Amino acid sequence: MRRLVGSRLDEILFRAATGAVALLLIVIVGGIAFELGRQSSLSIHKFGWQFWQTDVWDPVAAEFGARPFIWGTLYSAILALLFSTPIALGIAIFTSELAPPWLRKPLIFLTELLAAIPSIVYGLWGVFVLVPLVRQFELNTPQWLKAIPVFSGPPVGVGMLAAAIILSIMVIPFSSSVAREVLKAVPQAQREGAYALGATRWEAIRMALFYARTGIIGAIMLGFGRALGETMAVTMVIGNNAQITTSLYAPQYTMAAVIANEFSEATDDVYLSALVEIGLVLFVITLIINALSRLLIWSMARPGRRRFLRPALEKAA
């Protein structure tokens, strides 16, 4: 009887401890939001919603608008996602499904090593190696291609293209590592069932990808969140020019970069409050994107998805 009471008490204490840790996370997120809102209250009261809609960033005239930085942050992160997703999925598929054992471990180690490199090192590599390569690519761009707005602009090297490339390199290890673990978690019976129905190796891998699609989407969104908040590497190669343009060659700006560059120089209260509000905007955008990605994952993981899987299995049979 005492042993039963003791085990019951241990279970209650364990649940209380883990619940307190989970509650602590909520308190931390709420505290961050509260402090950002409090420190940016001066800018919020002065500019209101115009802060999100204005392009002017003039500390001398005390006129501040965050739209160029919002554009640069989302544009660079989306480009990095487009560049990195095929490579990350290819690495995950190869290391989990195709690579021989003697090659799998070194590749996994090198992929995870990329995630451990500090962002300032990526930035230095971008300045000395990537930017000259991008400039050479821009100089050799055909004239007919430069007529397209996406490829217009002076060939200076620093700009959105260099920032998107370096962001994609930094995102790849995160997305590929999570996607690899998700694919490894797919039951072997799924692959064996596909082989039993006469599927080729590629078709069996496609079945595994379909089975693990929710986790793969989560891995991609994890990389997207990583790209949104990157600071130093992007600051060193993006050009830091507050403008809204679709050109990959034009220097642009991100929210994290403007905070890192100008926070130490902000002596005016409104200026400092505007920079903190940019941090609040980045915080809100990150929450919105994470919430939307979670809704996407939940919608894909609903039991109703089985009705879409049944025709595929019947077709394979």
Side-chain angles (χ1 to χ4, degrees), residues 3 18 61 74 85-87 93 117 136 143 163 165 167 171 174 234 243 259 261 279 281 295-296 313:
R3 183 178 300 176
T18 53
L74 295 177
T85 297
I87 300 174
I93 293 171
I117 298 176
Q136 193 64 33
Q143 291 297 326
I165 292 174
L167 270 179
V171 162
F174 294 92
V234 175
Q243 61 174 328
I259 295 173
N261 284 336
V281 172
L295 288 175
L296 176 62
L313 295 176

Side-chain angles (χ1 to χ4, degrees), residues 249-285:
Y249 298 169
Q252 298 185 49
Y253 227 153
T254 64
M255 289 184 279
V258 69
I259 295 173
N261 284 336
E262 302 186 17
F263 194 83
S264 60
E265 303 174 359
T267 56
D268 183 74
D269 291 340
V270 178
Y271 190 7
L272 183 61
S273 180
L275 289 174
V276 177
E277 188 176 358
I278 288 181
L280 178 62
V281 172
L282 180 58
F283 181 78
V284 171
I285 290 176

Side-chain angles (χ1 to χ4, degrees), residues 95 103-116 173 177 180:
T95 54
L103 183 60
R104 181 180 296 115
K105 289 185 178 180
L107 285 178
I108 292 175
F109 172 77
L110 292 175
T111 303
E112 294 177 349
L113 181 63
L114 289 176
S177 296
R180 183 185 68 249

Side-chain angles (χ1 to χ4, degrees), residues 147-201:
I148 303 175
V150 176
F151 298 99
S152 62
V156 294
V158 294
M160 183 55 69
L161 180 59
I165 292 174
I166 203 168
L167 270 179
S168 64
I169 295 174
M170 299 178 70
V171 162
I172 285 172
F174 294 92
S175 300
S176 63
S177 296
V178 177
R180 183 185 68 249
E181 295 301 323
V182 170
L183 287 174
K184 287 173 59 178
V186 175
Q188 188 62 28
Q190 295 290 328
R191 300 175 178 83
E192 294 174 354
Y195 289 134
L197 292 173
T200 62
R201 192 170 191 179

